[in-house]
Amino acid sequence: MARRVVLLAAGAVAFSPSAPLAQPRLRLSATATDVETDKEESCVSFTVPVPASLTKAAYKTAAGEMAQTREIPGWRQKDWKKVPIGVVAGAVGAQTLKSLAIEKLTETEVHSAITGLGVEVVGQAQLVGDVEEIMQTFTPGEPWDMRVKIDIWPEAVWSQPWDDGTLAVEVEREAKDQSTRDKALEALRERYCDIEDAPADHVAREGDVAMVDIDGYLRDENGNRAGELPIQGAVGGDDLELILEPGKFLPGVVEALIGKKAGEKVTVPVDFPESRQYREEQPLAGVKAGFDVTINAVRLRSLPELNDAFAGKIRPGLTLDELKQEVENTVGGQEEDKTTDTVHKELEKALAERLTSQLPEALVVESAKQRFAVMLAEMRNSGTDDAALKQMISPEGFQKYLKVVRPKVVTELRGKLAVESIGRSIGVQADEQQVEEQMELVKRQYEQQEADSGAAFNEEKAREKVTYELQRVAVLDKVRDQAKITYVDALSPEETARKMGIDVDNLPPEVQLG
């Protein structure tokens, strides 16, 4: 008869009581024998010898539970302790009673045996064998050998060494983006612009600077003042400097000031959006407010030319060529960092392909569940309505998601397994000082972004992630030193579009590539 794996609870699920019942606990004294570890399959199999006294006790416990939860002809449920075991077996079926008894044994004996193995297990244990064969070999009151299999945390089994000189990857080098450099210089011009008082009759225009007093308040349906705003500091005050660029301040305020003169006063009604995403960024979400704005002065703002004089305003003695080089160092360094990240990811994929060890399904599913939860949270934050989310949060919805992300999840898990294995073999660990520095940054980021959400800061989990990421970078840097990296230039947006078969020469005017 072909052997197959049977889930421990599979045979008894249909007969499980609707609620947990208080039952005498069985003795926890199991020992695993005939232990076989399969590193390729990432599992361990073992036999749990169950003495006759325990098979008898488990069967009796199962009978008592059934008598308490099922209707037994000729007996009242309150007299369940008096119902003979044979009567219970006749009412619910001997196989059903055996199945529940085996489940009771696995809850105690298997757990006890696993504890003694000293391995890190993943998922649930399974009985090995044909269902009918398992039932036939189990006899209450007689010794029983329970053969069990359970997945364990995988070990890296290599099809070929990672450091044999044949590891090679092709990496697309991060394209040099001139627009990023131009934007950096433009931002410096904005920061070090020239400002002078405007003539008394000057009409404010886009790009000018207005010195204003802003008084914000709640408004009623008629537009009248109805009370104070929940917050004031960020949306009101006296003698504020406001650059007149639409979209840079409260909705409609800048637009109302353009075309006005110093000394004028405007009232601007603002209905703040109600969306969930906006609420997280703006505490006035959903509020109907009014703002009385008094223009105290208008100042002219002009951007300086890009020359040595401008560079000298940033730092005495700095020349324009030196300034451009500093911008290049900063932006170019960011592009190089992105290229390095790409190198690391490609190396992880290449390393993952050299592993032959199988990943336990429970590990893959758990990782996918974490991704699924993050995706749903991001969708909720972006404004997806609850009805749409509810349709996705179902076993069927998760299975569809799992099918899509499985290849990516498996590759990433195998890559992580490879990195950890290499780290142990060559003795590379995260630098403790760097760990502490990164933890300080993580804590600061939490205080700035997450503290108000009420979510507790899990320092242990954060430290684990920080430590692994630093070790990962250190290990992959070592791997890169022994691998062949071929760099290719990134395609331009137009080249990418052509490669995808898009007729870029006949695109509508409103379609912009990039």
Side-chain angles (χ1 to χ4, degrees):
M1 181 181 295
R3 296 175 66 82
R4 62 178 183 268
V5 175
V6 183
L7 285 172
L8 288 178
V13 167
F15 312 106
S16 298
S18 57
L21 300 173
Q23 296 290 348
R25 292 185 63 84
L26 300 177
R27 182 174 58 92
L28 300 177
S29 57
T31 302
T33 63
D34 300 326
V35 179
E36 298 178 356
T37 302
D38 189 334
K39 293 184 178 181
E40 288 274 358
E41 295 294 328
S42 301
C43 66
V44 60
S45 302
F46 55 92
T47 298
V48 182
V50 183
S53 59
L54 287 186
T55 60
K56 181 178 180 180
Y59 195 72
K60 181 179 180 180
T61 299
E65 189 170 296
M66 285 294 179
Q68 193 175 3
T69 58
R70 298 295 189 87
E71 289 187 7
I72 307 298
W75 294 83
R76 294 177 299 181
Q77 281 194 330
K78 70 176 184 178
D79 297 327
W80 64 271
K81 292 183 178 180
K82 300 177 182 178
V83 183
I85 295 177
V87 173
V88 177
V92 302
Q95 293 296 92
T96 298
L97 208 54
K98 276 189 176 184
S99 179
L100 185 56
I102 291 172
E103 183 182 3
K104 296 297 178 185
L105 287 171
T106 61
E107 290 175 356
T108 55
E109 301 305 289
V110 172
H111 173 76
S112 176
I114 290 173
T115 303
L117 289 175
V119 296
E120 186 175 359
V121 300
V122 179
Q124 295 183 335
Q126 302 168 319
L127 287 177
V128 177
D130 180 80
V131 177
E132 294 182 1
E133 178 185 341
I134 292 174
M135 292 296 183
Q136 289 175 359
T137 59
F138 177 81
T139 302
E142 294 184 8
W144 179 52
D145 287 339
M146 181 166 46
R147 189 66 181 172
V148 178
K149 172 186 174 182
I150 189 167
D151 291 331
I152 58 176
W153 190 262
E155 293 185 25
V157 180
W158 298 89
S159 61
Q160 63 183 114
W162 65 271
D163 56 353
D164 62 357
T166 65
L167 190 68
V169 296
E170 185 177 281
V171 175
E172 189 175 87
R173 193 189 302 275
E174 188 70 19
K176 182 176 180 178
D177 187 354
Q178 186 57 43
S179 66
T180 303
R181 291 154 175 80
D182 294 340
K183 288 177 183 178
L185 287 172
E186 193 65 19
L188 289 172
R189 292 179 71 202
E190 295 269 359
R191 182 176 178 182
Y192 293 94
C193 64
D194 298 317
I195 298 179
E196 59 180 337
D197 292 333
D201 60 347
H202 177 76
V203 176
R205 62 194 179 196
E206 187 174 332
D208 289 346
V209 176
M211 306 302 297
V212 299
D213 297 338
I214 300 180
D215 177 24
Y217 52 86
L218 295 174
R219 77 176 203 281
D220 60 21
E221 294 181 357
N222 299 319
N224 300 319
R225 185 184 290 266
E228 298 294 326
L229 291 175
I231 61 171
Q232 284 289 340
V235 293
D238 296 333
D239 205 27
L240 302 176
E241 183 180 275
L242 183 61
I243 298 177
L244 300 183
E245 293 182 353
K248 288 292 184 71
F249 194 55
L250 298 172
V253 171
V254 168
E255 291 81 355
L257 297 180
I258 293 176
K260 305 299 181 185
K261 298 179 181 179
E264 291 190 66
K265 181 177 180 179
V266 297
T267 296
V268 185
V270 177
D271 293 344
F272 290 93
E274 176 58 56
S275 74
R276 183 182 288 108
Q277 181 182 17
Y278 189 78
R279 180 172 294 280
E280 293 183 355
E281 301 173 357
Q282 172 57 266
L284 292 178
V287 170
K288 296 184 181 299
F291 294 93
D292 292 337
V293 185
T294 302
I295 305 175
N296 299 324
V298 178
R299 308 183 72 186
L300 303 178
R301 177 170 162 269
S302 59
L303 300 181
E305 294 184 14
L306 285 173
N307 52 33
D308 289 343
F310 163 65
K313 291 177 66 175
I314 297 176
R315 190 168 66 247
L318 185 66
T319 67
L320 180 59
D321 287 341
E322 291 171 340
L323 174 61
K324 287 183 176 180
Q325 186 58 52
E326 289 186 3
V327 170
E328 176 63 34
N329 292 342
T330 300
V331 177
Q334 293 171 350
E335 292 171 348
E336 185 61 34
D337 288 344
K338 290 181 180 179
T339 299
T340 299
D341 288 342
T342 304
V343 170
H344 285 169
K345 290 176 182 177
E346 292 302 319
L347 286 173
E348 275 185 305
K349 292 178 184 178
L351 291 171
E353 291 176 357
R354 295 196 172 195
L355 293 186
T356 59
S357 42
Q358 297 298 312
L359 294 176
E361 179 65 10
L363 189 61
V364 175
V365 171
E366 181 58 31
S367 181
K369 283 181 178 179
Q370 293 175 8
R371 284 173 170 269
F372 192 56
V374 170
M375 182 191 72
L376 293 176
E378 290 176 347
M379 292 177 64
R380 180 177 285 111
N381 291 338
S382 66
T384 303
D385 61 77
D386 291 338
L389 290 174
K390 196 170 183 180
Q391 290 182 341
M392 297 180 63
I393 304 175
S394 65
E396 295 78 14
F398 173 71
Q399 287 302 320
K400 290 180 180 178
Y401 176 80
L402 177 61
K403 185 177 181 180
V404 173
V405 301
R406 177 183 290 276
K408 185 176 180 65
V409 168
V410 169
T411 297
E412 290 187 356
L413 286 172
R414 291 167 71 85
K416 181 178 180 181
L417 182 62
V419 167
E420 290 177 340
S421 173
I422 295 171
R424 287 191 298 269
S425 66
I426 63 178
V428 173
Q429 296 181 338
D431 181 86
E432 287 299 325
Q433 183 175 346
Q434 290 184 347
V435 171
E436 295 305 323
E437 291 173 355
Q438 289 296 313
M439 282 298 297
E440 286 300 317
L441 292 176
V442 171
K443 290 177 183 177
R444 198 174 308 152
Q445 183 180 30
Y446 167 80
E447 292 169 357
Q448 293 173 351
Q449 300 179 8
E450 303 292 339
D452 293 338
S453 69
F457 179 67
N458 190 328
E459 182 166 353
E460 181 180 354
K461 197 164 187 176
R463 183 176 294 277
E464 179 183 334
K465 289 184 176 180
V466 166
T467 301
Y468 170 72
E469 183 56 30
L470 289 173
Q471 183 196 34
R472 170 183 172 273
V473 170
V475 168
L476 291 173
D477 281 343
K478 294 288 188 182
V479 174
R480 180 176 57 181
D481 293 341
Q482 300 191 46
K484 180 182 178 182
I485 315 293
T486 302
Y487 293 96
V488 296
D489 292 332
L491 298 177
S492 67
E494 180 178 330
E495 290 171 330
T496 302
R498 290 187 186 279
K499 190 174 182 180
M500 295 172 63
I502 299 173
D503 185 3
V504 299
D505 297 321
N506 296 299
L507 290 175
E510 63 272 15
V511 176
Q512 299 293 324
L513 295 174

